[in-house]
Amino acid sequence: MGWPFIGETIGYLKPYSATTIGDFMEQHISRYGKIYKSNLFGEPTIVSADAGLNKYILQNEGKLFECSYPRSIGGILGKWSMLVLVGDMHRDMRIISLNFLSHSRLKTYLLREVENNTLLVLKSWHENCTFSAQDEAKKFTFNLMAKHIMSLDPGEPETEKLKKEYVTFMKGVVSPPLNFPGTPYRKALQSRSTILRFIELRMEERIEKMNQGIDVEEDDLLSWVLKHSDLSTEQILDLILSLLFAGHETSSVAIALAIFFLQGCPNAVKQLREEHIEIVRAKRQSAESETELNWDDYKKMEFTQCVISETLRLGNVVRFLHRKALKDVRYKGFDIPCGWKVLPVIAAVHLDSSVYYEPQEFNPWRWQQHNGTSRGTSSSATPATSSKQFVPFGGGPRLCTGSELAKLEMAVFIHHLVLNFNWELANGGDQAFAFPFVDFPKKLPIKVVYQHHEYTTISHTQKSKEQLN
C-alpha cells in the first residue's frame, strides 16, 4: 500500500495518456483485480475499476457512501461549493442549479447564447495561422458562463480582468496544495479572494436595486439566486464560483478533446458535415426567417451526439470520484470498512475491453444502433449494458446538473466548426494527458482551412479582406 501517509499517491497521479488508464492502474488491476486496496491522498483506500461496484457506489450516495474530496479542494473552492457539500445542503444547492438550468431555459435563452458565443470565437479564426484550440475552447466556455452567471459581456474590461484572475485560480486548483508564498496554490487563494470580491460587489449592487424597488433586469444565475433563495452571502459566493469552475473547465476540455479526436478521424468529420449541411438546407427550404439554430435543429444532430458520447468515453474529462464509506459495506465478497476512502474510477470502465470493443479507438459509430446491436460494443456486453456503464457525468443524486448544457455546447460548437473549417494539428502535434485532470501540454496547436460551400455560417470573404488589410 506504499509509503506511510503518502502511500501510493505519487504513482497514482503520475501523468499518462488520457486515452488509457495509465501504467499504475493497469499493473494494479493485473495484480489484484478490478477492486483493490491502496493508500491514496493520505488515507486507506478502496479503488474500483469495476462497473458494478461503481454503479453501486453512485446509487447509494448518502446511504452507504458520501462525497469526500481532499481538504485542499474545499479550501480553494469553498466550504459551500457543490463539489464538496453533502446531505441536505448539497440537495438544496443542486435544486437551485437545476431550476436555473431548466429544459425550457436550455431551449430558448441558453441555446441562443451558446450559438452567439460559438460564432464570436470561430469568427476570429484565420487561415495559415497557428493558434491554441484549447485556449479558444476555454475562451468560449468562460465567456458563456460569465454571461450566464453574471451577465458579463465578452471582451469588456471587467470580463477580461475576471478571466485573468480565474486563470491564476485554476492553476492553483490543479496544483499541489502547498500554501507557501509564490506557489500556484497560494496565488490561487489570492485570486479566489479577488474573484469573490468582484462577485460580491455585483451582488451588493443588485440587492440595493431590489431594496429600492427597482426591477433587476439581468436574467442570470446571480439574480435568480437573490430572488428565489435564502442563501447567505458566503453560500452564494461559493455557489457561483463553483458553477463557474464546473461550467467552464469540464466543457472546455471536452470541446478540445473533440477537436483533437476528430482531426484523426476524417470519416467522422465527413459524416458530421453531411448531417449539419442537411440541417442548414432544411431550414432554408422551409423558408424559416431565422437562421439561428433552434431546438428542433439540435434534436436532428444524431450522429453529433454519437461523437459527443465517444469523446466523453475515450477522453474521460472526469476520471474518478472521491467517496468514503459511511458504514461497513460488503459487496460481492469484498469488505469496505467504514471511514475508508473509495475511488470509483470511471475511466477504467469506459476503457474496459470487456465492455467496449477496441476501447482505445475513437469510434463514434459504436453508439449507433444496428438491428439490435451496436457497432463497437464488446462481444461480452450488449448495447444496453454498455450504455448503462457509460457515466461521464457521474450518477445518482450527484449527477452533474450541467450535463445537458455541456452536450448542447459541444453540439453547437461542432455544428459551426465542421460547416466552416477543416483543421489539422500544428507544431508537431499534441496529445491529451491525464495529470489526473485532462490537459494538452502544448495547448493543442492547430491550423485551419476555410470551407467554401453555400452552407457555411461564417463569411470567410469578409475575413480574408480583413486579413489583407
Side-chain angles (χ1 to χ4, degrees):
M1 293 174 64
W3 296 90
F5 185 71
I6 63 171
E8 298 183 298
T9 306
I10 294 175
Y12 183 75
L13 297 180
K14 184 179 179 180
Y16 56 89
S17 170
T19 57
T20 72
I21 59 173
D23 290 341
F24 178 93
M25 279 288 292
E26 287 182 1
Q27 291 169 4
H28 279 62
I29 290 173
S30 176
R31 184 179 301 174
Y32 305 115
K34 292 182 179 180
I35 303 171
Y36 61 87
K37 295 178 182 179
S38 184
N39 188 309
L40 299 171
F41 307 100
E43 299 180 60
T45 305
I46 298 294
V47 180
S48 170
D50 180 79
L53 178 54
N54 288 1
K55 183 178 180 181
Y56 184 74
I57 293 167
L58 296 176
Q59 289 179 336
N60 284 281
E61 176 75 29
K63 302 172 186 175
L64 303 177
F65 305 93
E66 74 174 11
C67 181
S68 180
Y69 279 85
R71 190 175 302 171
S72 60
I73 296 295
I76 201 164
L77 289 181
K79 67 179 182 181
W80 299 106
S81 165
M82 282 183 65
L83 188 66
V84 298
L85 283 174
V86 298
D88 292 343
M89 197 64 230
H90 176 267
R91 181 202 61 204
D92 293 344
M93 290 283 202
R94 178 179 167 78
I95 289 172
I96 290 171
S97 182
L98 285 171
N99 283 336
F100 193 69
L101 290 170
S102 65
H103 187 66
S104 60
R105 189 172 175 82
L106 280 172
K107 292 174 64 175
T108 53
Y109 175 78
L110 286 171
L111 173 56
R112 183 174 67 251
E113 285 301 318
V114 168
E115 184 166 32
N116 289 342
N117 280 280
T118 296
L119 290 170
L120 183 67
V121 167
L122 295 185
K123 284 179 179 178
S124 70
W125 291 11
H126 298 293
E127 283 188 314
N128 302 318
C129 296
T130 299
F131 57 89
S132 164
Q134 179 175 263
D135 285 350
E136 294 297 289
K138 288 179 181 290
K139 184 193 303 181
F140 161 64
T141 56
F142 182 87
N143 287 343
L144 178 66
M145 295 310 295
K147 180 73 172 178
H148 173 54
I149 292 174
M150 289 182 289
S151 295
L152 297 176
D153 292 320
E156 293 296 319
E158 60 180 358
T159 310
E160 294 305 307
K161 181 180 178 182
L162 180 64
K163 186 188 299 181
K164 183 178 179 181
E165 293 291 344
Y166 183 79
V167 169
T168 303
F169 170 74
M170 270 309 306
K171 288 178 180 177
V173 171
V174 298
S175 70
L178 303 175
N179 193 6
F180 303 115
T183 63
Y185 189 80
R186 170 67 68 86
K187 291 178 181 178
L189 290 174
Q190 294 168 344
S191 287
R192 167 186 158 81
S193 297
T194 303
I195 293 168
L196 292 183
R197 183 57 186 155
F198 178 92
I199 299 170
E200 189 173 13
L201 286 173
R202 297 188 73 85
M203 192 169 83
E204 290 171 351
E205 291 172 1
R206 297 192 193 183
I207 291 174
E208 185 176 351
K209 284 184 179 179
M210 292 166 65
N211 290 339
Q212 293 174 358
I214 302 172
D215 185 42
V216 177
E217 297 179 356
E218 291 88 352
D219 182 20
D220 56 25
L221 178 64
L222 179 56
S223 290
W224 198 96
V225 172
L226 291 174
K227 292 176 181 177
H228 299 97
S229 80
D230 57 358
L231 298 179
S232 68
T233 296
E234 185 182 8
Q235 289 170 335
I236 292 174
L237 293 176
D238 280 0
L239 171 65
I240 289 178
L241 180 60
S242 65
L243 290 178
L244 181 63
F245 163 73
H248 165 265
E249 201 60 27
T250 53
S251 294
S252 64
V253 171
I255 289 170
L257 284 167
I259 293 171
F260 173 71
F261 291 140
L262 285 170
Q263 61 81 33
C265 190
N267 287 337
V269 174
K270 179 176 181 292
Q271 189 164 333
L272 280 170
R273 189 166 288 135
E274 290 169 353
E275 178 170 271
H276 290 283
I277 284 176
E278 183 54 38
I279 289 171
V280 176
R281 181 187 291 118
K283 288 175 73 70
R284 293 180 183 177
Q285 289 176 348
S286 65
E288 286 187 28
S289 58
E290 294 185 357
T291 58
E292 293 86 0
L293 291 170
N294 57 44
W295 198 253
D296 289 336
D297 300 326
Y298 174 59
K299 301 309 289 185
K300 293 175 183 175
M301 301 179 186
E302 295 181 0
F303 184 65
T304 306
Q305 294 300 328
C306 295
V307 168
I308 291 171
S309 293
E310 185 66 352
T311 297
L312 297 174
R313 182 200 67 80
L314 183 56
N316 289 290
V317 177
V318 178
R319 307 191 73 80
F320 60 90
L321 305 172
H322 289 262
R323 298 291 185 267
K324 74 174 179 181
L326 294 175
K327 56 183 71 175
D328 290 338
V329 177
R330 189 167 180 81
Y331 177 84
K332 295 184 177 179
F334 291 93
D335 290 317
I336 304 175
C338 177
W340 275 42
K341 177 178 282 292
V342 183
L343 294 186
V345 184
I346 294 172
V349 177
H350 290 170
L351 299 172
D352 189 338
S353 60
S354 70
V355 180
Y356 300 99
Y357 177 68
E358 296 183 343
Q360 268 79 40
E361 294 296 318
F362 181 75
N363 176 14
W365 295 275
R366 76 171 78 242
W367 299 98
Q368 292 181 326
Q369 301 296 315
H370 298 276
N371 299 320
T373 63
S374 178
R375 288 197 291 165
T377 300
S378 169
S379 58
S380 62
T382 67
T385 58
S386 297
S387 178
K388 289 178 181 178
Q389 293 165 359
F390 178 59
V391 287
F393 299 105
R398 298 186 75 94
L399 176 69
C400 176
T401 57
S403 58
E404 292 304 317
L405 175 59
K407 288 187 283 188
L408 179 66
E409 291 175 58
M410 292 182 73
V412 173
F413 197 96
I414 288 171
H415 170 79
H416 290 289
L417 175 68
V418 298
L419 285 176
N420 294 283
F421 300 100
N422 281 323
W423 66 98
E424 62 181 20
L425 297 184
N427 296 346
D430 205 350
Q431 185 179 353
F433 275 84
F435 291 89
F437 60 93
V438 177
D439 196 20
F440 289 90
K442 298 181 182 179
K443 298 188 177 183
L444 191 58
I446 64 169
K447 283 187 177 181
V448 298
V449 176
Y450 299 152
Q451 282 282 296
H452 296 284
H453 54 75
E454 60 180 305
Y455 299 107
T456 57
T457 56
I458 296 173
S459 174
H460 297 312
T461 303
Q462 181 63 34
K463 288 172 64 177
S464 297
K465 290 180 180 178
E466 292 172 357
Q467 278 184 284
L468 289 173
N469 294 333

